[in-house]
Amino acid sequence: MEILSVSAEVAPWSKTGGLGDVAAALPKALAARGHRVLAVAPRYAPYPDAWDTGMRLRFPLFGQVHEVRLFHTQAAGFDLLFVDHPAICRGGIYGDERGGYGDNLFRFALLSRAAIEAARRFPVSAGGDAARPLTEAGPLRVLSHDWHAGLVPVYLRHHYQAHGLLTDARVAHVIHNLAHQGVASFDDWWGLDLPAAAAPVLDMHGRMNCMKAALVSADRVVAVSPSYAREITEQEHGFGLDGILRMRGGALSGIINGIDPTEWSPAADRHLPATFGPEVWPEAPTKPGPVGGKLRCKAELQRELGLPVRADLPVLGFIGRLTGQKGIDLLEAVGPWLAHQPCQVVLLGTGEERYERALSALGRRYPSAVAVKVGFDVGLAHRITAGADILLMPSRFEPCGLNQLYALAYGTVPLVHATGGLRDTVHSFDPGRDAGTGWAFGPASPEAFQHALSMALLTWHQFPASFAGLARRGMAERNDWAASAEAYVRLLAG
Ligand code: ADP
């Protein structure tokens, strides 16, 4: 197949969360299966490993003809183009310290238009075939990710197909997070260079809404887990689009994300002081906690974060954006209680200032029990995933979640709120059958969270063999892209 993937982020060049990881790993998995894959993302900054192709594209947008340059790399294992324009290349991804950029609609309209044109012009090779533009090699299959690429199916339908071009192209729009919809004033409508027939597509209660436009224009809609696909058709998690998603029910499905083992594997992780395999959780442990390489990672983590180096306490980790979605209020609520339990807590994240302040204060108040790092630090994220015994994800909603998948692979037992992808990937501990891979609590209340934490700490201290079993079962799971990439292939082929 000839597959175009369009996204606002692609790791490691640009990443604020899971979208960046998936937009790199999924094209790679599809290319590895012999498909002709082109990914297109913005060039937010000069990237030293991406070269100017010399290709220039021009579009009328917002009353002016704009020229974009295309930069190219194959460093990620597939053809990746970066769209360059002064409005895009200003350092930040979505904004700067003063907030979101005011012209994001324009920036991502440029991305969307450039991506379709790139599929028509930029030569891509597959499995030793001669390099050809995607649209010359066969019918185009498009993955548009989140609202930033939401205009791709709209331009395709109303700009190209309405003129008899690319009529055999099909789009699957992938929802990574429905909370972000690309809402703008309808006063900006004229700037998008779309025919009047597209206006109702973009209209949502008198405002422009790029996510809604994508949901009604795409041939298929994919949510990043089966549970999330169900939840977004309900009012609680639908963010106002649940009615439209119910209407599109027949075209909506859920495909869980995978992890990229070249980036996230405890046996070969360049960010760790020691690498390790499943032997770190022995079947008949003589005392609680991991041994070998994982114990070394744990000790180094404690040292790095200024905590007492203690093997006799479990380390509970949290990594993520500090927003309401991630259940930071729940962490805040149980924080003082947790600081008095026999454990250590390490928290890494950036986000809303009130949460950064609240968690930092917790760290200052309990310096020997709680370590808090405000910042975005990929290396430390790996070291926490490896060095912690338990990973906390009390998210109020979670489309898929990647950190719990990384935790499972690293023998770190996830403790999560049973929602979305967390519900689909973490199987709650059943002591009777010695089954499960973590703890999944509900509802999202401080009481339920605290109860799950008590159970996890009790298991770690009193039942080391049970805890080791949980960790070992998690490590044995294969959460890589194989099955999910096949599911995408079936969806795009259908
Ligand atoms: P989301 O996409 O909602 O942010 P995911 O769990 O799907 O959540 O993905 C989060 C990704 O971002 C993971 O790869 C995680 O390690 C990374 N991440 C989040 N916050 C940080 C941070 N402060 N420093 C480094 N990596 C982070």
Side-chain angles (χ1 to χ4, degrees):
M1 274 190 290
E2 328 309 321
I3 304 170
L4 170 70
S5 171
V6 191
S7 58
E9 301 180 23
V10 57
W13 294 274
S14 49
K15 163 170 163 172
T16 66
L19 171 65
D21 287 347
V22 173
L26 176 57
K28 185 165 157 187
L30 293 169
R33 280 161 181 75
H35 302 288
R36 197 183 295 265
V37 180
L38 176 64
V40 182
R43 183 175 183 262
Y44 297 113
Y47 303 129
D49 50 357
W51 293 272
D52 191 349
T53 60
M55 200 175 270
R56 306 285 182 262
L57 306 172
R58 283 180 202 85
F59 314 101
L61 277 175
F62 289 87
Q64 257 185 48
V65 174
H66 296 273
E67 181 177 273
V68 301
R69 301 189 294 167
L70 296 180
F71 286 67
H72 177 241
T73 181
Q74 277 184 322
F78 52 88
D79 282 286
L80 171 57
L81 286 177
F82 294 108
V83 178
D84 179 68
H85 182 277
I88 291 177
C89 196
R90 357 210 257 261
I93 297 182
Y94 305 114
D96 54 25
E97 58 287 343
R98 282 167 299 175
Y101 293 134
D103 59 351
N104 273 341
L105 180 68
F106 167 60
R107 297 169 80 227
F108 293 116
L110 268 180
L111 169 72
S112 302
R113 294 220 50 183
I116 302 174
E117 270 313 297
R120 301 178 74 202
R121 303 207 203 166
F122 184 79
V124 177
S125 58
D129 267 17
R132 278 186 291 170
L134 295 181
T135 57
E136 279 178 25
L140 186 65
R141 297 290 173 260
V142 185
L143 293 168
S144 54
H145 299 274
D146 268 353
W147 82 260
H148 325 95
L151 291 174
V152 171
V154 182
Y155 280 120
L156 199 56
R157 238 174 236 293
H158 294 278
H159 197 85
Y160 291 85
Q161 297 179 334
H163 296 98
L165 295 167
L166 305 179
T167 49
D168 54 2
R170 298 281 175 272
V171 183
H173 187 69
V174 188
I175 304 173
H176 297 262
N177 195 332
L178 197 61
H180 306 288
Q181 301 182 357
V183 175
S185 157
F186 226 98
D187 297 344
D188 289 337
W189 153 257
W190 66 274
L192 293 179
D193 185 39
L194 279 162
V201 168
L202 272 148
D203 173 62
M204 182 76 186
H205 307 312
R207 312 259 296 157
M208 267 209 290
N209 185 312
C210 296
M211 182 66 102
K212 181 253 173 178
L215 298 183
V216 300
S217 307
D219 300 277
R220 305 295 296 260
V221 177
V222 185
V224 289
S225 68
S227 285
Y228 193 57
R230 233 178 6 258
E231 290 166 1
I232 54 179
T233 62
E234 293 156 13
Q235 200 186 358
E236 187 189 350
H237 294 300
F239 289 97
L241 295 177
D242 44 301
I244 285 166
L245 285 158
R246 282 196 296 277
M247 245 160 48
R248 299 250 33 209
L252 172 66
S253 59
I255 302 178
I256 198 89
N257 291 330
I259 65 178
D260 180 353
T262 59
E263 287 297 320
W264 290 92
S265 163
D269 186 326
R270 62 185 187 283
H271 300 289
L272 305 185
T275 54
F276 58 89
E279 73 287 347
V280 296
W281 288 108
E283 258 177 73
T286 50
K287 53 182 190 310
V291 298
K294 189 169 171 77
L295 180 58
R296 178 122 179 260
C297 289
K298 177 170 169 172
E300 291 294 330
L301 178 68
Q302 290 168 322
R303 202 166 289 130
E304 176 176 354
L305 296 180
L307 289 169
V309 177
R310 297 206 24 199
D312 63 329
L313 292 177
V315 170
L316 279 52
F318 170 89
I319 303 159
R321 293 179 292 114
L322 304 183
T323 64
Q325 177 197 337
K326 299 292 176 184
I328 309 301
D329 56 319
L330 297 177
L331 265 180
E332 224 187 303
V334 303
W337 169 82
L338 197 55
H340 289 103
Q341 303 306 306
C343 68
Q344 294 176 342
V345 183
V346 303
L347 310 169
L348 166 67
T350 61
E352 289 173 34
E353 210 184 308
R354 61 187 167 133
Y355 291 133
E356 292 183 354
R357 267 205 306 264
L359 295 185
S360 300
L362 195 68
R364 279 195 305 275
R365 197 160 142 210
Y366 304 102
S368 62
V370 182
V372 179
K373 276 273 173 198
V374 170
F376 198 91
D377 183 338
V378 171
L380 183 55
H382 282 250
R383 290 190 293 281
I384 292 175
T385 305
D389 298 83
I390 296 169
L391 186 89
L392 308 178
M393 289 182 79
S395 308
R396 290 195 171 270
F397 72 94
E398 193 61 79
C400 175
L402 290 172
N403 284 323
Q404 83 280 13
L405 300 180
Y406 301 145
L408 288 167
Y410 282 64
T412 303
V413 177
L415 188 157
V416 306
H417 171 220
T419 181
L422 299 175
R423 182 198 294 276
D424 293 342
T425 54
V426 177
H427 310 294
S428 225
F429 182 38
D430 177 347
R433 292 192 304 120
D434 227 358
T437 53
W439 283 271
F441 69 88
S445 67
E447 295 74 28
F449 188 22
Q450 187 170 322
H451 178 71
L453 285 164
S454 309
M455 298 310 292
L457 294 180
L458 177 78
T459 308
W460 193 92
H461 284 284
Q462 304 292 331
F463 303 97
S466 294
F467 193 93
L470 279 163
R472 265 202 322 278
R473 285 190 292 278
M475 290 185 95
E477 284 193 345
R478 289 267 76 76
N479 286 309
D480 61 19
W481 272 97
S484 301
E486 290 303 333
Y488 273 100
V489 167
R490 281 195 299 278
L491 180 99
L492 292 171

